Amino acid sequence: MAKISGLQREVLSLYRQCLRACRKKPADTRLNFYNHTRSEFHRNSSINKKDFGTIEYLIRSGRKKLETYEDPGIRNIANL
């Protein structure tokens, strides 16, 4: 198995954190959060592994979004 870089490790960690946050959402809207998480990561999966600036930016913005979505007041999300 190939070694993964620090950035790849951060991306995987963020993905796992997002999935854990989805589990805390109401059962009737949980699927919307899972679908949104998957689509965001899939949409950005084609970025070149060597484009460090973009990847770091996406990690930072992903963490900010995660912090917002973890708020108990956020009960649903629209997948746009």
Side-chain angles (χ1 to χ4, degrees):
M1 185 170 160
K3 287 189 175 185
I4 59 174
S5 71
L7 276 179
Q8 288 172 322
R9 206 176 310 250
E10 283 187 59
V11 170
L12 290 173
S13 173
L14 178 61
Y15 186 68
R16 285 191 303 268
Q17 289 173 348
C18 291
L19 293 179
R20 284 187 202 110
C22 291
R23 285 188 229 142
K24 298 176 184 174
K25 295 303 176 182
D28 58 330
T29 61
R30 192 173 297 148
L31 186 60
N32 295 343
F33 283 95
Y34 278 121
N35 289 337
H36 180 73
T37 300
R38 285 186 196 114
S39 69
E40 284 294 306
F41 277 85
H42 182 70
R43 185 169 56 91
N44 294 308
S45 66
S46 62
I47 293 174
N48 186 340
K49 290 181 183 181
K50 300 204 184 288
D51 192 355
F52 303 121
T54 302
I55 295 169
E56 289 173 352
Y57 167 78
L58 289 169
I59 290 171
R60 281 193 307 275
S61 66
R63 286 191 178 128
K64 288 178 187 174
K65 286 181 183 181
L66 174 61
E67 189 176 310
T68 302
Y69 297 151
E70 284 180 325
D71 182 346
I74 306 293
R75 299 185 50 79
N76 199 356
I77 190 168
N79 199 6
L80 303 174

